[in-house]
Amino acid sequence: MSERIVISPTSRQEGHAELVLEVDDEGIVTKGRYFSITPVRGLEKMLLGKAPETAPVFTQRICGVCPIPHTLASTEAVEDSLDIEPPKAAKLLRELTLAAHHVNSHAIHHFLIAQDFVPENLMKTAIESVSEIRKNAQYVVDMVAGEGIHPSDVRIGGMADNITELARKRLYARLKQLKPKLNEHVELIISLVEEKGLPEGLGAHNQPTLATHQIYGDRTKFDLDRFTEVMPESWYDDPEIGKRACSTIPLYDGRSVEVGPRARFVEFQGFKERGVVAQHVARALEMKTALSRAIDILDELDTSAPVMADFDITGTGKLGVGAIEAPRGLDVHLAQVADGKIQFYSALVPTTWNIPTMGPATEGFHYEYAPHVIRAYDPCLSCATHVMVIDDEEKTPIKSEMVRI
């Protein structure tokens, strides 16, 4: 006899979501549905009619977990709409900022999953390691982008300022010094995850992966014509879930996809592993990739080079695309600027892509493992919420406007 198990809200993630599982007599999940129940923030609507420079300032506040990717995706979407090509030094500084953010964000995830994998005798070591790595990564964002949380120096057209030669040398030395510590941390996390004894194949699925770049992002690798978005009431086979779900379902080539560290490793490193363990391994290894890239950038950066392009803010109405690889996956912002004002804005954020993939990934294993599957994706629901609720009692969305909110 089938039984329904509801985990609400799911824990140790940003925002609120619900996991509804159909299980058989043995407790094996036969149907997994995962959906956001986080209330809408509506920031995309707030941007309409505002000056283009407003977009990154607003959107970096979509969520406190991914302010860097939202800033960069927003800035690049507006720049694409305005046909702005930032100077090389500005691009390097942005990439350096995101690489440091990858290291910081992945370390935070290791703190969140510590209870799942780290034994008591190693907990102090693991947490101190996370703290040390985060402190250094946030220092880089602070120095390069102006602020550790909301990067004030990322501007339309480039960056507010280049860093000084003294700052470049200090950051270079600091990250080189961090490298052995980070390598040790990565090895610890991977060994603990692999030794946990999770069932082989847990969390594996047959959905394709989507990624545009190993670390930063590349709008030319995201084909807007292959993207569609459907209403949750059309996706979930349970009408009540479809009504309550607060996020649309994005599809690429008509299918749901996986984004994030494992997807990037599959697309750019030939990574073949699938499932929960593979998610954690890829995320840990990506910390090393990001740190190495940050060091290379600091070695390459010309601190005397200009970092701001000349441009006309008026705009021609072209739909601009910004595609940034956030720690949790591809973050796409769309912006249309005409007459000096934002005419259209939409953010297609990482967890939105992964929501329709995470539920089915729980199927085929005992329901007690389902939270492991969800946490392996490090979901962040706050920025994935796109539904406007108009009736506080019935929680009924505006169906006709939902996709473009």
Side-chain angles (χ1 to χ4, degrees), residues 101-175:
H101 178 69
H102 272 278
V103 172
N104 177 42
S105 184
H106 290 345
I108 294 173
H109 183 253
H110 291 159
F111 176 77
L112 290 174
I113 63 168
Q115 292 180 48
D116 292 338
F117 298 103
V118 183
E120 190 60 36
N121 64 322
L122 290 176
M123 188 64 79
K124 185 172 184 293
T125 300
I127 299 305
E128 287 180 349
S129 178
V130 164
S131 179
E132 180 70 14
I133 291 168
R134 289 198 60 214
K135 181 175 66 177
N136 283 282
Q138 280 293 77
Y139 182 77
V140 175
V141 178
D142 240 340
M143 292 285 286
V144 176
E147 292 180 36
I149 303 298
H150 297 123
S152 56
D153 286 355
V154 178
R155 305 287 176 84
I156 304 298
M159 298 288 287
D161 297 293
N162 204 333
I163 60 174
T164 65
E165 183 60 16
L166 178 59
R168 186 191 70 79
K169 290 179 177 177
R170 284 181 173 174
L171 290 174
Y172 184 84
R174 190 158 181 160
L175 293 188

Side-chain angles (χ1 to χ4, degrees), residues 350-405:
T351 296
T352 317
W353 291 106
N354 279 335
I355 279 176
T357 298
M358 283 186 271
T362 65
E363 296 171 4
F365 293 87
H366 196 277
Y367 70 85
E368 290 184 350
Y369 290 112
H372 279 287
V373 176
I374 301 304
R375 285 197 282 273
Y377 285 88
D378 191 15
C380 182
L381 284 305
S382 296
C383 52
T385 301
H386 280 240
V387 178
M388 178 70 78
V389 176
I390 59 170
D391 188 320
D392 284 341
E393 292 184 0
E394 297 183 1
K395 305 298 182 187
T396 306
I398 303 174
K399 298 180 182 179
S400 60
E401 294 186 9
M402 186 171 147
V403 172
R404 293 303 181 193
I405 283 176

Side-chain angles (χ1 to χ4, degrees), residues 140-311:
V140 175
V141 178
D142 240 340
M143 292 285 286
V144 176
E147 292 180 36
I149 303 298
H150 297 123
S152 56
D153 286 355
V154 178
R155 305 287 176 84
I156 304 298
M159 298 288 287
D161 297 293
N162 204 333
I163 60 174
T164 65
E165 183 60 16
L166 178 59
R168 186 191 70 79
K169 290 179 177 177
R170 284 181 173 174
L171 290 174
Y172 184 84
R174 190 158 181 160
L175 293 188
K176 289 283 281 187
Q177 190 174 14
L178 177 65
K179 195 168 186 178
K181 178 70 176 178
L182 184 137
N183 290 343
E184 185 180 327
H185 172 82
V186 168
E187 290 174 11
L188 173 66
I189 295 298
I190 290 177
S191 66
L192 292 174
V193 170
E194 290 179 337
E195 292 167 5
K196 178 67 178 178
L198 293 174
E200 186 175 350
L202 176 66
H205 58 79
N206 294 318
Q207 300 302 111
T209 54
L210 176 63
T212 63
H213 190 272
Q214 177 68 67
I215 291 292
Y216 188 70
D218 183 350
R219 73 168 69 96
T220 66
K221 298 294 191 300
F222 178 74
D223 187 348
L224 200 56
D225 290 335
R226 298 168 65 185
F227 159 71
T228 52
E229 202 169 21
V230 300
M231 311 285 279
E233 288 171 305
S234 302
W235 181 261
Y236 295 101
D237 55 4
D238 184 318
E240 285 304 311
I241 291 177
K243 185 181 294 185
R244 294 178 57 223
C246 296
S247 178
T248 54
I249 304 298
L251 305 173
Y252 206 67
D253 294 332
R255 301 184 65 185
S256 59
V257 297
E258 177 190 327
V259 299
R262 194 191 76 89
R264 288 189 283 266
F265 267 71
V266 168
E267 296 293 328
F268 297 100
Q269 303 284 346
F271 195 70
K272 302 293 185 186
E273 303 303 316
R274 301 187 303 150
V276 169
V277 173
Q279 292 280 352
H280 291 303
V281 169
R283 181 175 291 106
L285 291 176
E286 193 167 74
M287 295 174 77
K288 297 172 70 172
T289 304
L291 181 61
S292 293
R293 181 59 187 146
I295 292 172
D296 288 346
I297 290 171
L298 285 165
D299 197 29
E300 178 185 351
L301 181 68
D302 179 358
T303 55
S304 65
V307 292
M308 183 58 78
D310 293 325
F311 58 89

